[in-house]
Amino acid sequence: MILRSALICALSVSLLNAQKKPITIESITSRAGGGGRGDFGGTPVWAPDGKHFAYFKGKQVMLYDVPAKSEKELLNIEALEKAAVVIPAPERFDWQNRRVAENGMQWSNSGKELLLSIGGDLFLFHVDSAKWDQLTATAEPEHDPKLSPDATRVAFRRGHDLYNLEIASKKVTRLTDDGSSTLLNGEADWVYPEELDLSTAYWWSPDSKQIAYMQFDVGREMLYPQVALTGTRAMMEPERFPQAGTPNADVHVGIVPAAGGPTRWMDLGDARGALIARVYWTPDSSKVAVERFNRVQNQLDLLFADVTTGASRTIIHELDRYWINVNDLFHFLSDGRFLWGSERDGFQHLYLYGPDGKLSKKLTEGNWEVNSVAGVDESKQLVYFTSTEASPLERQLYSIKLNGKDRVRVTQGAGTHSVSMSPTTDYYMDNFSSLTQPPSRTLHTNNGAEWTVYRAADHRLTDEYELLPTEIVNVKASDGTPLYARLIKPANFHAGEKYPAIAMVYGGPGVQSIHNAWSGATWDQVLAHRGFVIWQLDNRGSNGRGHAFEAPIFRRMGKTELEDQLEGVKYLVGQGFVDSARIGLYGWSYGGYMTLYSMLNAPDTFKAGIAGAPVTNWTNYDTIYTERYLGLPSENADGYKASSAAEYADKLKGKLLIVHNIEDDNVLFQNTLQMSDALERAGKLFDMVIYPQKSHGVGGPYRKQLLEKTTDFFERNLK
């Protein structure tokens, strides 16, 4: 009877799925993918009272009242757009890093005003009167605007210099006057945002009297000769891109009075051998706290610099035999104590230090990682943080007291919780999803109780399309290390049949690919509906599992990653439904590198591979990323050579497709050209598709063609 019921249930599910449409290239390029197609509510910008947040909704600025569970339109920005001075498009492309974050909207500390950046100009919106003032009307855009804490001034950057506008009088003061294409004031170069996640380069003091800023002297950074080739005439578009072993920018930290005056430079040691990763003001505005790495990033100093004298002293000094990962766990308390994040015990945890730099307490510990500090409630002596304590595959919110006691899990539901907490920590927005649950956004009180559903999960995708289930698989490596992988079986899967498989690979440091999180309608689903098994594994070297799990790639990339990927393939073939003679490989960026390295060093395992935007020789990649893991080329020449995919070009056996944008700003096209040269010299046949975009990924109107080309490649070579 039980068997019969189960059979009826299975037939019902099968019939239901048969009525749904398969995921196709057309469906994912027409925006059927992701979590649905509805309004998801924008990115919340919390008001200082912790009870309201604003967000952009098309041309509208919306205000959500959390206690009342209601929202309304604050203003329509069309009038502001008409008032803004139209900026003519530049003749040459500006190689600004895509990770630079500029605030389009910012609350004043009183919560009575919103600073808006619209069309390159600045506007101040008064919430109570619903009126706005235009602060600037210039042909040159104001970048990275920031209200002073007392809301009397607005700082911004024009060109390569910092400026300050007094709101009451509209008087503009130029704070720096030596900015140029090689001297950037309050402006980061290309590599700092990319590899140190530095999203801005200047900061107001808490008392609104001074501004701390980073000055980047990029004159010694190499100029990579990017060229635009799609116009009537080729045009030079050189990019400052410091390749491994070449000079970085010389970076200094200065303090300038908000009303104008000379800059006082902080004495932080020799700038030429250092990386300045973070700058914070102390609560009393008397000092700046600066995180400084040595060039290869195995030493980290936290320095306190006196803004009056410029003298600095080391508060914390950390060493690691491999490298130290930058984090954003630092947080000052009002009494001068501060939170510090460190992997000194092998996992990233929180530590509490006194104002004098003496360790007070290790707040968290265990074989799991703290990912972020979501908020601090000093009145209750509580820190809210997200971590992997429940599982490396999940992210959950926790609270703990500043004495290290009473750790409590706040979020519920197995999956991935991305939390935006109000500044008062009374409420938080939980963006939640899992493998089986599309993203939803709910508002909660700080004890985890659901307050209201802000945006419900959108099930229209799953109602209309057949999403094939994703399984999380635990693979045990030969040395006993557990490796997490995901598996999608093809549509109309039948036990006993043999299917071609495609291994999706990234494999590099700083990234975790396997999560208990929603993936929606993706190219993976397209391939699975066309009869392919989809497989992806996080090898050693990826993050989310502690420093020891990352460290095996130190000074030698490719080798350990491939060993683990081969363990995964062995496990997959051992399940009995994959044809070992029809296994393909796909990856982009580091994954493109891993595709090439794997096909050349395990040529009998992979029949076909697609390498998107691959690094092929690590001397071509940027300084901060590459030297963190491989060291300087002059000190690890053998490691660089052994890690280069181009060194093994003569071993190619399978079918290979290389895809790359010719003006990729991140993984330079030079990589693909050198790989092509090595393969051609070795007499190896391969395919290549070149796109004309100035970005690391292929998007816009080219994406559909890319998906059709890559799908066709696997169907021709693995079916």
Side-chain angles (χ1 to χ4, degrees):
M1 190 70 178
I2 295 174
L3 283 173
R4 184 181 173 187
S5 299
L7 183 61
I8 292 170
C9 182
L11 285 170
S12 299
V13 171
S14 180
L15 242 130
L16 183 63
N17 284 335
Q19 297 170 1
K20 295 182 180 181
K21 295 185 286 188
I23 301 295
T24 63
I25 291 173
E26 183 62 37
S27 65
I28 63 175
T29 54
S30 61
R31 300 184 180 275
R37 289 160 288 184
D39 167 34
F40 212 50
T43 301
V45 181
W46 285 96
D49 67 1
K51 297 177 181 178
H52 301 80
F53 61 83
Y55 69 92
F56 284 110
K57 180 183 179 181
K59 299 284 187 180
Q60 298 170 297
V61 175
M62 304 295 294
L63 180 69
Y64 191 92
D65 185 323
V66 180
K69 305 178 184 178
S70 64
E71 61 185 331
K72 65 179 182 180
E73 179 185 311
L74 274 183
L75 80 155
N76 191 300
I77 65 170
E78 287 184 351
L80 281 64
E81 289 178 327
K82 290 178 182 177
V85 176
V86 177
I87 310 300
E91 284 188 22
R92 298 185 179 227
F93 189 74
D94 179 12
W95 293 104
Q96 178 174 284
N97 191 286
R98 65 193 181 281
R99 295 179 187 266
V100 170
E102 296 190 5
N103 294 325
M105 180 194 306
Q106 181 190 346
W107 288 96
S108 66
N109 278 347
S110 68
K112 294 181 179 180
E113 298 90 15
L114 274 172
L115 177 67
L116 299 169
S117 178
I118 306 292
D121 282 324
L122 305 180
F123 300 83
L124 195 67
F125 177 76
H126 304 277
V127 177
D128 293 339
S129 66
K131 295 180 179 180
W132 52 268
D133 298 320
Q134 185 164 1
L135 301 181
T136 65
T138 56
E140 192 170 10
E142 285 74 42
H143 287 292
D144 200 11
K146 295 176 187 175
L147 270 172
S148 61
D150 64 7
T152 62
R153 299 174 184 269
V154 179
F156 53 84
R157 197 182 70 250
R158 278 189 197 144
H160 306 296
D161 278 310
L162 282 173
Y163 292 76
N164 203 351
L165 180 147
E166 187 178 58
I167 293 173
S169 66
K170 303 283 183 68
K171 177 186 176 183
V172 175
T173 301
R174 187 170 182 168
L175 301 180
T176 64
D177 59 9
D178 55 354
S180 69
S181 61
T182 57
L183 198 66
L184 317 179
N185 290 307
E187 176 188 7
D189 68 352
W190 183 90
V191 72
Y192 264 64
E194 180 69 26
E195 307 304 0
L196 293 176
D197 294 323
L198 187 74
S199 61
T200 187
Y202 80 92
W203 303 264
W204 276 103
S205 63
D207 64 8
S208 301
K209 294 179 179 179
Q210 302 175 93
I211 292 174
Y213 70 96
M214 295 170 69
Q215 183 187 74
F216 284 74
D217 182 348
V218 300
R220 297 173 65 247
E221 284 187 339
M222 66 170 284
L223 270 174
Y224 181 79
Q226 299 275 19
V227 182
L229 299 172
T230 55
T232 304
R233 298 286 183 268
M235 181 180 290
M236 287 289 294
E237 293 183 329
E239 176 189 4
R240 292 280 176 186
F241 189 100
Q243 292 181 315
T246 69
N248 283 317
D250 294 335
V251 181
H252 301 272
V253 175
I255 311 295
V256 63
T263 294
R264 180 175 294 106
W265 298 105
M266 301 297 98
D267 183 2
L268 305 173
D270 185 4
R272 192 142 289 185
L275 304 171
I276 305 298
R278 296 290 184 272
V279 177
Y280 309 94
W281 280 95
T282 57
D284 64 2
S285 300
S286 68
K287 303 177 185 68
V288 285
V290 178
E291 293 184 21
R292 183 188 65 188
F293 283 97
N294 64 331
R295 178 162 177 149
V296 296
Q297 300 151 76
N298 60 5
Q299 297 183 43
L300 171 62
D301 291 305
L302 176 69
L303 301 105
F304 280 8
D306 187 296
V307 300
T308 303
T309 66
S312 68
R313 62 189 180 96
T314 300
I315 300 297
I316 296 175
H317 178 69
E318 296 214 349
L319 293 168
D320 192 276
R321 62 181 295 190
Y322 303 112
W323 70 84
I324 298 172
N325 291 306
V326 68
N327 66 63
D328 285 304
L329 301 181
F330 188 96
H331 181 92
F332 266 119
L333 304 179
S334 59
D335 60 6
R337 292 181 297 164
F338 59 91
L339 300 176
W340 177 255
S342 174
E343 289 180 302
R344 63 185 62 160
D345 72 348
F347 291 86
Q348 187 164 274
H349 282 293
L350 286 173
Y351 297 78
L352 179 64
Y353 278 83
D356 56 0
K358 291 183 179 178
L359 178 63
S360 298
K361 186 72 180 176
K362 182 179 182 182
L363 298 184
T364 62
E365 60 183 329
N367 293 340
W368 46 271
E369 294 188 336
V370 173
N371 306 112
S372 69
V373 172
V376 178
D377 184 345
E378 292 194 49
S379 65
K380 295 180 180 177
Q381 296 288 288
L382 281 175
V383 179
Y384 294 89
F385 63 94
T386 58
S387 83
T388 62
E389 182 177 359
S391 165
L393 306 177
E394 299 182 13
R395 298 295 184 269
Q396 301 284 349
L397 177 67
Y398 295 80
S399 68
I400 194 168
K401 289 186 176 177
L402 285 170
N403 61 9
K405 296 180 180 179
D406 302 330
R407 185 170 74 253
V408 175
R409 177 169 159 176
V410 180
T411 48
Q412 301 301 319
T416 299
H417 297 262
S418 177
V419 170
S420 173
M421 201 159 210
S422 73
T424 60
T425 72
D426 292 323
Y427 299 96
Y428 67 88
M429 174 86 76
D430 183 9
N431 190 346
F432 169 75
S433 77
S434 70
L435 287 170
T436 57
Q437 177 68 27
S440 63
R441 300 178 87 178
T442 49
L443 284 160
H444 298 253
T445 55
N446 56 20
N447 63 359
E450 184 178 298
W451 180 247
T452 189
V453 176
Y454 175 64
R455 295 293 186 268
D458 190 339
H459 290 280
R460 284 177 293 175
L461 175 66
T462 52
D463 290 342
E464 186 177 350
Y465 292 89
E466 182 189 1
L467 258 67
L468 301 169
T470 298
E471 305 171 36
I472 297 290
V473 179
N474 194 331
V475 178
K476 188 169 286 189
S478 55
D479 65 355
T481 302
L483 305 171
Y484 293 107
R486 66 182 180 94
L487 169 69
I488 304 175
K489 293 177 182 175
N492 304 312
F493 176 81
H494 297 291
E497 288 192 24
K498 298 278 190 180
Y499 296 89
I502 300 172
M504 303 291 181
V505 63
Y506 181 79
V511 172
Q512 181 183 3
S513 300
I514 311 304
H515 297 275
N516 184 2
W518 182 253
S519 56
T522 61
W523 185 50
D524 294 356
Q525 290 281 335
V526 174
L527 294 170
H529 274 285
R530 295 200 181 195
F532 293 97
V533 170
I534 301 300
W535 174 259
Q536 186 171 26
L537 177 139
D538 273 340
N539 50 250
R540 282 170 291 178
S542 57
N543 75 345
R545 301 278 302 277
H547 201 35
F549 192 81
E550 294 178 299
I553 68 167
F554 183 61
R555 296 180 73 84
R556 176 67 165 89
M557 288 176 165
K559 183 175 182 293
T560 300
E561 301 96 297
L562 176 56
E563 290 171 357
D564 287 351
Q565 292 295 330
L566 292 177
E567 295 267 20
V569 170
K570 179 181 176 182
Y571 170 91
L572 182 63
V573 171
Q575 302 310 296
F577 52 81
V578 168
D579 183 349
S580 62
R582 292 187 293 158
I583 297 176
L585 195 57
Y586 173 89
W588 200 273
S589 196
Y590 199 101
Y593 161 70
M594 279 302 300
T595 296
L596 287 171
Y597 187 91
S598 301
M599 289 195 68
L600 299 173
N601 286 277
D604 296 320
T605 299
F606 302 104
K607 184 181 180 183
I610 300 175
V615 178
T616 64
N617 184 326
W618 286 102
T619 58
N620 294 332
Y621 200 53
D622 73 57
T623 50
I624 297 179
Y625 180 97
T626 311
E627 294 167 8
R628 181 188 301 150
Y629 309 116
L630 287 181
L632 293 168
S634 60
E635 297 173 359
N636 185 25
D638 291 343
Y640 272 82
K641 183 177 181 180
S643 300
S644 169
E647 287 292 315
Y648 310 99
D650 62 328
K651 296 183 178 181
L652 180 67
K653 288 185 179 179
K655 299 293 185 180
L656 172 64
L657 170 63
I658 302 176
V659 182
H660 213 147
N661 275 322
I662 199 164
E663 280 196 276
D664 190 329
D665 69 323
N666 185 350
V667 177
L668 304 172
F669 186 72
Q670 177 183 21
N671 287 276
T672 283
L673 199 60
Q674 290 179 358
M675 190 74 227
S676 302
D677 178 61
L679 290 167
E680 288 159 357
R681 288 176 180 275
K684 300 296 181 179
L685 298 179
F686 64 100
D687 293 323
M688 185 191 298
V689 178
I690 299 171
Y691 290 94
Q693 294 183 306
K694 308 172 195 292
S695 62
H696 188 39
V698 175
Y702 302 102
R703 183 166 178 251
K704 187 169 185 286
Q705 196 274 349
L706 168 68
L707 293 174
E708 289 172 342
K709 178 65 179 177
T710 49
T711 302
D712 175 71
F713 178 83
F714 279 135
E715 291 201 315
R716 283 188 292 105
N717 291 295
L718 294 180
K719 287 291 188 74

